[in-house]
């Protein structure tokens, strides 16, 4: 990660909403949605947090050897490479286990139950590290082949007590030259330590993975941020703030420090592609020709820091007009105005606000408006709502409109990079439900997009 993530790069990932009559959806930041990103086994940590791009690889399974749940670990395709998932107790860094949790009981075995589907050349892994006076003692266990019924395992461990231990399971073998197979998976349940030489050791926290915690974020509707990427670290750089310039709310962005890195809080009207090095911010469809624009801001900088706004209009991928400006300190809401000369109708727009380069800088934005030209002064048409289920899904996804939509709609299925997998015409009238077979997709996060003459709406779904 770069020392400062403060990017204003013109790019297109894919369109996520339609700006009607020249105004933006949720331009006053009154509408917010709380979204559950993933679940984690309570008291354990996992790759869902450490690798937000693949935060659905560690999942709660109702197929259990003991109690109601077990934990399932899967691999995934990461741009042609295989990425693995893991759960653990302790701490890790870029080199692997870096510390443990306090545990002084003596034990020499790890017992539990497992199922797995380890394809040729792949092995699931158990790793245990005893830290004695800061010195690590490693023990490794491995899971092979295809095991379809719950099977007991018992791994011998270096005997002796420790100051702390690191303990975890991995969906592949991270120590080999090649990391596994995309279709390999591992389930574990009912884990315990055993001391064959003396007193029984203390129980592990949540040893049967019965308790799970949801990780969720709240984002302003129709805007995008890094909240989902940073949520596992306990950071939410974009939050709902009150009071706003008008209405009940505005949006607040804060620049945050993570170890030695600095993350600028930002919101983007277009989808954000965190995996892109060159074009992280996407554009939205936009065909109006305004001559003026404005927004209200309040800014509390750290030192002499400044926020930033970047706006650009595009035609056939080429910029045709734009405006950018630093945002300076203001203790109360002030209006910023701007104008531009658009000589032809654009087809898309990029708009990004960011809080600055220094930790603790805070930017508040509200009431974004475009005027002049052919921009209507009326508010946007209402946002269409859809019920999408089941989510996460494995085989099929159903999409049902919250209310009757009589006109034909285009339904598209896209991945995080905007690659189009499916497109079809559908009519939601008379409570019709659209059905899509997701078993043709690899595991991961996808988007559905519904395009109608009255709206364009997009949201996430997960394929397990």
């Amino acid at each position: 990660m770069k020392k400062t993530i403060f990017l204003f790069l013109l790019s297109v990932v894919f369109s996520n909403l339609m700006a009607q009559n020249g105004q933006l959806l949720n331009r006053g930041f009154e509408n917010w949605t709380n979204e559950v990103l993933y679940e984690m086994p309570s008291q354990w940590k996992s790759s869902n947090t450490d690798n937000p791009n693949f935060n659905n690889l560690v999942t709660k399974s109702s197929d259990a050897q003991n109690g109601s749940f077990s934990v399932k670990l899967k691999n995934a395709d990461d741009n042609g490479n295989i990425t693995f998932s893991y759960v653990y107790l302790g701490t890790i860094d870029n080199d692997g286990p870096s510390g443990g949790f306090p545990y002084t009981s003596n034990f020499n075995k790890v017992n539990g139950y497992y199922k797995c589907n380890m394809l040729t050349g792949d092995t699931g892994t158990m790793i245990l590290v005893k830290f004695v006076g800061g010195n690590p003692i490693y023990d490794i266990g491995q899971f092979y082949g295809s095991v379809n019924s719950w099977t007991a395992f018992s791994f011998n461990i270096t005997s002796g007590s420790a100051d702390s231990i690191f303990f975890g399971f991995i969906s592949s073998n991270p120590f080999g030259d090649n990391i596994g197979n995309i279709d390999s998976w591992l389930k574990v349940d009912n884990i315990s330590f055993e001391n064959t030489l003396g007193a029984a050791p203390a129980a592990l926290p949540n040893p049967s993975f019965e308790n799970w915690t949801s990780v969720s974020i709240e984002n302003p509707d129709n805007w995008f941020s890094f909240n989902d990427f940073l949520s596992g670290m306990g950071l939410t750089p974009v939050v709902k703030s009150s009071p706003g310039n008008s209405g009940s709310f505005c949006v607040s962005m804060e620049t945050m420090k993570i170890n030695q890195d600095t993350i600028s809080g930002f919101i983007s009207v277009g989808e954000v592609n965190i995996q892109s090095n060159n074009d992280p911010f996407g554009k939205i469809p936009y065909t109006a020709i305004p001559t003026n624009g404005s927004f209200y801001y309040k800014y509390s900088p750290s030192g002499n820091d400044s926020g930033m706004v970047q706006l650009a209009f595009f035609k056939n991928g080429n910029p045709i007009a734009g405006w950018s400006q630093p945002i300076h300190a203001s203790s109360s809401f002030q209006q910023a105005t701007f104008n531009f000369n658009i000589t032809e109708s654009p087809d898309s727009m990029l708009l990004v606000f960011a809080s600055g380069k220094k930790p603790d800088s805070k930017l508040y934005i509200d009431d974004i408006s475009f005027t002049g030209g052919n921009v209507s002064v009326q508010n946007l048409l209402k946002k269409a709502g859809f019920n999408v289920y089941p989510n996460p899904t494995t085989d099929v996804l159903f999409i049902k409109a919250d209310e009757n939509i009589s006109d034909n709609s285009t339904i598209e299925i896209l991945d995080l990079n905007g690659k189009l997998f499916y497109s079809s015409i559908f009519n939601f009238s008379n409570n019709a439900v659209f059905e899509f077979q997701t078993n043709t997709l690899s595991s991961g996060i996808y988007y559905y997009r519904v395009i109608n003459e009255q709206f364009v709406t997009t949201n996430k779904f997960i394929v397990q």
Side-chain angles (χ1 to χ4, degrees):
M1 187 180 295
K2 296 181 178 179
K3 286 293 180 183
T4 303
I5 299 181
F6 190 65
L7 306 173
F8 298 99
L9 304 175
L10 305 182
S11 65
V12 56
V13 180
F14 62 87
S15 305
N16 66 294
L17 54 92
M18 181 69 74
Q20 299 286 347
N21 66 13
Q23 301 293 4
L24 298 177
L25 292 170
N26 197 25
R27 59 197 177 101
F29 301 99
E30 293 300 299
N31 303 316
W32 293 69
T33 297
N34 192 66
E35 177 188 2
V36 175
L37 297 176
Y38 54 86
E39 288 184 292
M40 289 181 57
S42 301
Q43 298 176 275
W44 295 69
K45 302 173 185 177
S46 80
S47 55
N48 285 355
T49 297
D50 299 331
N51 189 354
N53 293 320
F54 296 95
N55 60 19
N56 65 326
L57 298 184
V58 175
T59 56
K60 178 171 64 179
S61 174
S62 57
D63 175 19
Q65 188 276 332
N66 180 64
S68 300
F69 306 115
S70 66
V71 64
K72 182 178 181 179
L73 314 175
K74 299 185 294 185
N75 294 336
D77 185 356
D78 183 7
N79 293 323
N81 298 313
I82 302 300
T83 187
F84 54 80
S85 63
Y86 46 86
V87 292
Y88 62 97
L89 299 167
T91 60
I92 63 174
D93 58 21
N94 292 334
D95 297 321
S98 59
F101 70 101
Y103 192 92
T104 57
S105 295
N106 188 6
F107 64 97
N108 57 7
K109 282 184 177 293
V110 173
N111 301 321
Y113 291 83
Y114 77 104
K115 288 184 178 181
C116 69
N117 182 40
M118 290 295 149
L119 302 185
T120 303
D122 206 0
T123 56
T125 304
M126 181 219 72
I127 179 170
L128 190 142
V129 185
K130 291 184 177 182
F131 291 93
V132 182
N135 297 314
I137 302 172
Y138 281 78
D139 285 288
I140 304 296
Q142 294 185 307
F143 304 91
Y144 301 90
S146 179
V147 180
N148 297 316
S149 59
W150 286 107
T151 302
F153 68 81
S154 183
F155 296 122
N156 292 324
I157 300 298
T158 303
S159 183
S161 59
D163 306 315
S164 62
I165 63 170
F166 175 95
F167 178 55
F169 296 90
I170 309 170
S171 64
S172 188
N173 178 12
F175 307 108
D177 294 332
N178 298 309
I179 296 176
N181 188 292
I182 189 173
D183 294 319
S184 293
W185 55 263
L186 170 68
K187 292 180 183 178
V188 292
D189 198 7
N190 199 8
I191 310 302
S192 64
F193 292 163
E194 180 184 358
N195 180 16
T196 63
L197 303 176
L204 287 168
N206 197 15
S208 289
F209 303 100
E210 291 301 291
N211 302 314
W212 291 72
T213 302
S214 295
V215 176
S216 62
I217 58 168
E218 187 177 41
N219 270 325
D221 291 354
N222 306 114
W223 294 83
F224 299 87
S225 73
F226 264 169
N227 278 358
D228 53 350
F229 182 76
L230 298 174
S231 61
M233 304 176 192
L235 301 176
T236 50
V238 173
V239 298
K240 180 169 58 180
S241 184
S242 179
N245 176 67
S246 67
S248 298
F249 306 113
C250 65
V251 62
S252 171
M253 292 154 272
E254 181 178 358
T255 304
M256 295 184 169
K257 193 170 185 63
I258 306 175
N259 298 323
Q260 299 303 312
D261 297 331
T262 300
I263 306 293
S264 177
F266 73 84
I267 54 169
S268 168
V269 75
E271 179 70 34
V272 179
N273 181 0
I274 186 63
Q275 293 179 290
S276 173
N277 293 323
N278 299 316
D279 30 344
F281 299 123
K283 304 191 286 283
I284 63 169
Y286 192 88
T287 57
I289 308 177
T291 58
N292 306 94
S294 69
F295 63 90
Y296 285 82
Y297 72 92
K298 184 171 62 173
Y299 188 53
S300 175
S302 175
N304 61 352
D305 202 7
S306 59
M308 180 65 73
V309 55
Q310 173 99 25
L311 169 68
F313 300 94
F314 295 82
K315 180 78 169 183
N316 298 323
N318 298 312
I320 58 174
W323 177 82
S324 64
Q325 179 174 303
I327 299 173
H328 300 295
S330 175
S331 59
S332 61
F333 275 104
Q334 304 291 326
Q335 185 180 34
T337 60
F338 47 93
N339 56 70
F340 25 73
N341 181 25
I342 305 178
T343 58
E344 57 180 324
S345 177
D347 56 28
S348 57
M349 170 206 288
L350 176 146
L351 177 60
V352 179
F353 292 89
S355 57
K357 300 180 180 180
K358 296 183 179 181
D360 301 323
S361 290
K362 292 184 179 180
L363 173 64
Y364 303 81
I365 298 294
D366 204 0
D367 295 335
I368 303 166
S369 180
F370 295 97
T371 57
N374 63 355
V375 174
S376 168
V377 297
Q378 298 177 355
N379 287 331
L380 287 170
L381 297 173
K382 64 184 177 182
K383 178 184 174 182
F386 292 88
N387 183 20
V388 179
Y389 59 93
N391 190 12
T393 183
T394 54
D395 299 317
V396 63
L397 184 77
F398 299 99
I399 302 176
K400 183 179 185 298
D402 289 345
E403 57 186 78
N404 187 65
I405 300 173
S406 58
D407 298 330
N408 286 337
S409 299
T410 299
I411 299 179
E412 297 178 343
I413 305 296
L414 312 99
D415 68 7
L416 281 173
N417 297 315
K419 179 181 178 181
L420 181 65
F421 286 91
Y422 175 88
S423 179
S424 180
I425 303 296
F426 188 78
N427 193 304
F428 286 98
S429 60
N430 299 320
N431 295 317
V433 178
F434 174 77
E435 180 178 336
F436 176 70
Q437 300 297 320
T438 59
N439 53 16
T440 60
L441 302 176
S442 301
S443 298
I445 300 174
Y446 295 85
Y447 288 85
Y448 73 88
R449 179 166 59 188
V450 183
I451 305 170
N452 187 280
E453 290 184 357
Q454 303 300 310
F455 60 83
V456 174
T457 191
T458 297
N459 215 330
K460 293 179 183 179
F461 68 94
I462 296 172
V463 177
Q464 291 184 339

